[in-house]
Short mmCIF file of all heavy atoms in Angstrom, two decimals:
data_model
loop_
_atom_site.label_atom_id
_atom_site.label_comp_id
_atom_site.label_asym_id
_atom_site.label_seq_id
_atom_site.Cartn_x
_atom_site.Cartn_y
_atom_site.Cartn_z
N SER A 120 -25.93 -5.44 35.02
CA SER A 120 -26.52 -4.41 34.15
C SER A 120 -27.88 -3.92 34.63
O SER A 120 -28.31 -2.82 34.26
CB SER A 120 -26.64 -4.96 32.72
OG SER A 120 -27.49 -6.09 32.70
N THR A 121 -28.58 -4.74 35.46
CA THR A 121 -29.92 -4.33 35.91
C THR A 121 -29.89 -3.57 37.23
O THR A 121 -30.95 -3.15 37.72
CB THR A 121 -30.81 -5.57 36.07
OG1 THR A 121 -30.22 -6.47 37.01
CG2 THR A 121 -31.00 -6.29 34.73
N LEU A 122 -28.69 -3.39 37.81
CA LEU A 122 -28.60 -2.71 39.11
C LEU A 122 -27.96 -1.33 38.90
O LEU A 122 -26.81 -1.24 38.47
CB LEU A 122 -27.77 -3.53 40.09
CG LEU A 122 -27.62 -2.97 41.52
CD1 LEU A 122 -28.99 -2.78 42.17
CD2 LEU A 122 -26.75 -3.90 42.35
N ASP A 123 -28.71 -0.27 39.21
CA ASP A 123 -28.21 1.09 38.98
C ASP A 123 -28.10 1.83 40.30
O ASP A 123 -28.94 2.67 40.65
CB ASP A 123 -29.13 1.84 38.02
CG ASP A 123 -28.54 3.19 37.62
OD1 ASP A 123 -27.30 3.35 37.72
OD2 ASP A 123 -29.31 4.08 37.20
N THR A 124 -27.07 1.51 41.09
CA THR A 124 -26.76 2.21 42.34
C THR A 124 -25.33 2.71 42.24
O THR A 124 -24.56 2.24 41.39
CB THR A 124 -26.90 1.27 43.55
OG1 THR A 124 -25.94 0.21 43.42
CG2 THR A 124 -28.31 0.69 43.64
N PRO A 125 -24.93 3.66 43.09
CA PRO A 125 -23.55 4.15 43.02
C PRO A 125 -22.52 3.02 43.12
O PRO A 125 -21.51 3.03 42.41
CB PRO A 125 -23.47 5.11 44.21
CG PRO A 125 -24.87 5.61 44.40
CD PRO A 125 -25.75 4.45 44.06
N TRP A 126 -22.77 2.06 44.02
CA TRP A 126 -21.81 0.95 44.15
C TRP A 126 -21.73 0.14 42.86
O TRP A 126 -20.64 -0.23 42.41
CB TRP A 126 -22.23 0.04 45.31
CG TRP A 126 -21.37 -1.20 45.38
CD1 TRP A 126 -20.16 -1.33 45.97
CD2 TRP A 126 -21.67 -2.48 44.80
NE1 TRP A 126 -19.66 -2.60 45.81
CE2 TRP A 126 -20.58 -3.34 45.08
CE3 TRP A 126 -22.75 -2.98 44.06
CZ2 TRP A 126 -20.54 -4.66 44.66
CZ3 TRP A 126 -22.72 -4.30 43.63
CH2 TRP A 126 -21.62 -5.13 43.94
N ALA A 127 -22.88 -0.14 42.23
CA ALA A 127 -22.89 -0.93 41.01
C ALA A 127 -22.19 -0.19 39.88
O ALA A 127 -21.42 -0.78 39.10
CB ALA A 127 -24.33 -1.27 40.61
N ARG A 128 -22.43 1.12 39.79
CA ARG A 128 -21.76 1.89 38.75
C ARG A 128 -20.25 1.90 38.95
O ARG A 128 -19.49 1.81 38.00
CB ARG A 128 -22.33 3.32 38.72
CG ARG A 128 -23.77 3.39 38.22
CD ARG A 128 -24.18 4.82 37.89
NE ARG A 128 -24.29 5.66 39.09
CZ ARG A 128 -25.38 5.78 39.83
NH1 ARG A 128 -26.49 5.10 39.50
NH2 ARG A 128 -25.42 6.57 40.89
N GLN A 129 -19.80 2.00 40.21
CA GLN A 129 -18.37 1.98 40.49
C GLN A 129 -17.79 0.61 40.19
O GLN A 129 -16.68 0.48 39.66
CB GLN A 129 -18.11 2.36 41.95
CG GLN A 129 -16.62 2.48 42.31
CD GLN A 129 -15.92 3.53 41.47
OE1 GLN A 129 -16.37 4.66 41.37
NE2 GLN A 129 -14.82 3.15 40.83
N ALA A 130 -18.56 -0.44 40.54
CA ALA A 130 -18.09 -1.80 40.24
C ALA A 130 -17.91 -1.99 38.73
O ALA A 130 -16.94 -2.61 38.28
CB ALA A 130 -19.08 -2.83 40.79
N ARG A 131 -18.84 -1.46 37.95
CA ARG A 131 -18.72 -1.58 36.50
C ARG A 131 -17.51 -0.79 35.98
O ARG A 131 -16.79 -1.24 35.09
CB ARG A 131 -20.00 -1.09 35.82
CG ARG A 131 -21.14 -2.10 35.88
CD ARG A 131 -22.28 -1.71 34.95
NE ARG A 131 -23.06 -0.60 35.47
CZ ARG A 131 -24.09 -0.74 36.29
NH1 ARG A 131 -24.46 -1.94 36.71
NH2 ARG A 131 -24.79 0.31 36.69
N ALA A 132 -17.30 0.39 36.56
CA ALA A 132 -16.14 1.20 36.13
C ALA A 132 -14.84 0.49 36.47
O ALA A 132 -13.90 0.47 35.66
CB ALA A 132 -16.19 2.57 36.79
N ASP A 133 -14.77 -0.11 37.67
CA ASP A 133 -13.55 -0.83 38.06
C ASP A 133 -13.33 -2.04 37.16
O ASP A 133 -12.19 -2.32 36.74
CB ASP A 133 -13.66 -1.29 39.52
CG ASP A 133 -13.64 -0.13 40.50
OD1 ASP A 133 -13.23 0.98 40.09
OD2 ASP A 133 -14.06 -0.31 41.66
N PHE A 134 -14.42 -2.75 36.85
CA PHE A 134 -14.26 -3.94 36.01
C PHE A 134 -13.87 -3.57 34.59
O PHE A 134 -13.20 -4.35 33.90
CB PHE A 134 -15.54 -4.78 36.00
CG PHE A 134 -15.42 -6.00 35.14
CD1 PHE A 134 -14.63 -7.06 35.54
CD2 PHE A 134 -16.05 -6.06 33.90
CE1 PHE A 134 -14.48 -8.18 34.73
CE2 PHE A 134 -15.90 -7.17 33.09
CZ PHE A 134 -15.11 -8.24 33.52
N ALA A 135 -14.29 -2.37 34.13
CA ALA A 135 -13.91 -1.95 32.77
C ALA A 135 -12.39 -1.93 32.62
O ALA A 135 -11.86 -2.27 31.55
CB ALA A 135 -14.49 -0.57 32.47
N GLY A 136 -11.67 -1.56 33.68
CA GLY A 136 -10.22 -1.60 33.64
C GLY A 136 -9.71 -3.03 33.51
O GLY A 136 -8.76 -3.30 32.75
N GLU A 137 -10.31 -3.96 34.27
CA GLU A 137 -9.92 -5.38 34.15
C GLU A 137 -10.18 -5.90 32.74
O GLU A 137 -9.37 -6.63 32.17
CB GLU A 137 -10.71 -6.22 35.15
CG GLU A 137 -10.39 -6.01 36.61
CD GLU A 137 -11.16 -6.99 37.48
OE1 GLU A 137 -11.03 -8.21 37.25
OE2 GLU A 137 -11.91 -6.53 38.36
N LEU A 138 -11.35 -5.53 32.21
CA LEU A 138 -11.73 -6.01 30.88
C LEU A 138 -10.77 -5.48 29.82
O LEU A 138 -10.35 -6.22 28.92
CB LEU A 138 -13.16 -5.57 30.58
CG LEU A 138 -13.77 -6.09 29.26
CD1 LEU A 138 -13.83 -7.60 29.25
CD2 LEU A 138 -15.16 -5.49 29.06
N LEU A 139 -10.41 -4.21 29.93
CA LEU A 139 -9.48 -3.63 28.96
C LEU A 139 -8.13 -4.32 29.04
O LEU A 139 -7.52 -4.65 28.02
CB LEU A 139 -9.32 -2.13 29.22
CG LEU A 139 -8.32 -1.40 28.31
CD1 LEU A 139 -8.75 -1.50 26.85
CD2 LEU A 139 -8.18 0.06 28.73
N ALA A 140 -7.65 -4.58 30.27
CA ALA A 140 -6.38 -5.27 30.42
C ALA A 140 -6.43 -6.66 29.81
O ALA A 140 -5.47 -7.11 29.16
CB ALA A 140 -6.00 -5.34 31.90
N ALA A 141 -7.55 -7.36 29.99
CA ALA A 141 -7.70 -8.69 29.41
C ALA A 141 -7.71 -8.61 27.88
O ALA A 141 -7.11 -9.45 27.20
CB ALA A 141 -8.98 -9.34 29.91
N ARG A 142 -8.41 -7.61 27.35
CA ARG A 142 -8.42 -7.44 25.90
C ARG A 142 -7.02 -7.19 25.37
O ARG A 142 -6.62 -7.73 24.33
CB ARG A 142 -9.32 -6.26 25.52
CG ARG A 142 -10.80 -6.53 25.60
CD ARG A 142 -11.61 -5.31 25.17
NE ARG A 142 -11.36 -4.98 23.77
CZ ARG A 142 -11.85 -3.89 23.17
NH1 ARG A 142 -12.59 -3.03 23.85
NH2 ARG A 142 -11.60 -3.65 21.90
N MET A 143 -6.25 -6.39 26.07
CA MET A 143 -4.88 -6.11 25.62
C MET A 143 -4.00 -7.35 25.74
O MET A 143 -3.16 -7.60 24.88
CB MET A 143 -4.31 -4.92 26.39
CG MET A 143 -4.98 -3.60 26.02
SD MET A 143 -4.12 -2.14 26.63
CE MET A 143 -4.51 -2.23 28.36
N ASP A 144 -4.20 -8.14 26.81
CA ASP A 144 -3.47 -9.41 26.93
C ASP A 144 -3.80 -10.32 25.75
O ASP A 144 -2.91 -10.97 25.17
CB ASP A 144 -3.81 -10.11 28.24
CG ASP A 144 -3.21 -9.43 29.46
OD1 ASP A 144 -2.33 -8.57 29.28
OD2 ASP A 144 -3.64 -9.75 30.58
N HIS A 145 -5.09 -10.38 25.42
CA HIS A 145 -5.51 -11.23 24.30
C HIS A 145 -4.93 -10.71 22.98
O HIS A 145 -4.50 -11.50 22.13
CB HIS A 145 -7.03 -11.28 24.24
CG HIS A 145 -7.56 -12.22 23.21
ND1 HIS A 145 -7.21 -13.55 23.17
CD2 HIS A 145 -8.43 -12.02 22.17
CE1 HIS A 145 -7.82 -14.15 22.16
NE2 HIS A 145 -8.55 -13.24 21.54
N THR A 146 -4.91 -9.40 22.83
CA THR A 146 -4.32 -8.82 21.62
C THR A 146 -2.84 -9.17 21.51
O THR A 146 -2.35 -9.50 20.43
CB THR A 146 -4.51 -7.29 21.62
OG1 THR A 146 -5.90 -6.99 21.63
CG2 THR A 146 -3.87 -6.66 20.40
N ASP A 147 -2.14 -9.12 22.64
CA ASP A 147 -0.72 -9.52 22.62
C ASP A 147 -0.57 -10.95 22.13
O ASP A 147 0.33 -11.27 21.35
CB ASP A 147 -0.12 -9.38 24.03
CG ASP A 147 0.19 -7.94 24.40
OD1 ASP A 147 0.34 -7.12 23.48
OD2 ASP A 147 0.28 -7.65 25.60
N ALA A 148 -1.45 -11.84 22.60
CA ALA A 148 -1.38 -13.24 22.18
C ALA A 148 -1.64 -13.38 20.68
O ALA A 148 -0.95 -14.14 19.99
CB ALA A 148 -2.39 -14.08 22.98
N LEU A 149 -2.61 -12.63 20.18
CA LEU A 149 -2.91 -12.70 18.75
C LEU A 149 -1.77 -12.12 17.92
O LEU A 149 -1.46 -12.63 16.83
CB LEU A 149 -4.21 -11.94 18.46
CG LEU A 149 -5.49 -12.55 19.04
CD1 LEU A 149 -6.68 -11.64 18.79
CD2 LEU A 149 -5.75 -13.93 18.45
N LEU A 150 -1.13 -11.07 18.41
CA LEU A 150 0.02 -10.51 17.69
C LEU A 150 1.15 -11.52 17.63
O LEU A 150 1.82 -11.67 16.60
CB LEU A 150 0.49 -9.22 18.38
CG LEU A 150 -0.40 -7.99 18.21
CD1 LEU A 150 0.05 -6.88 19.15
CD2 LEU A 150 -0.40 -7.50 16.77
N ARG A 151 1.36 -12.24 18.74
CA ARG A 151 2.43 -13.26 18.75
C ARG A 151 2.13 -14.39 17.76
O ARG A 151 3.05 -14.98 17.20
CB ARG A 151 2.61 -13.84 20.15
CG ARG A 151 3.27 -12.88 21.13
CD ARG A 151 3.69 -13.60 22.41
NE ARG A 151 2.54 -14.10 23.16
CZ ARG A 151 1.90 -13.40 24.10
NH1 ARG A 151 2.28 -12.16 24.37
NH2 ARG A 151 0.88 -13.92 24.74
N SER A 152 0.85 -14.65 17.53
CA SER A 152 0.49 -15.73 16.60
C SER A 152 0.40 -15.23 15.16
O SER A 152 0.09 -16.01 14.26
CB SER A 152 -0.86 -16.35 17.01
OG SER A 152 -1.92 -15.41 16.86
N GLY A 153 0.67 -13.95 14.93
CA GLY A 153 0.74 -13.43 13.56
C GLY A 153 -0.56 -12.91 12.99
O GLY A 153 -0.63 -12.60 11.80
N GLU A 154 -1.59 -12.75 13.82
CA GLU A 154 -2.88 -12.25 13.31
C GLU A 154 -2.90 -10.73 13.37
O GLU A 154 -3.56 -10.13 14.22
CB GLU A 154 -4.02 -12.86 14.12
CG GLU A 154 -4.10 -14.37 14.01
CD GLU A 154 -5.31 -14.94 14.75
OE1 GLU A 154 -6.36 -14.29 14.72
OE2 GLU A 154 -5.17 -16.01 15.35
#
Side-chain angles (χ1 to χ4, degrees):
S120 61
T121 58
L122 182 58
D123 187 22
T124 63
W126 173 83
R128 290 194 291 272
Q129 185 60 51
R131 282 192 286 273
D133 292 343
F134 179 72
E137 291 185 56
L138 185 61
L139 178 61
R142 285 181 63 186
M143 290 193 287
D144 288 346
H145 185 55
T146 299
D147 283 338
L149 293 175
L150 288 169
R151 287 192 295 271
S152 66
E154 298 184 37

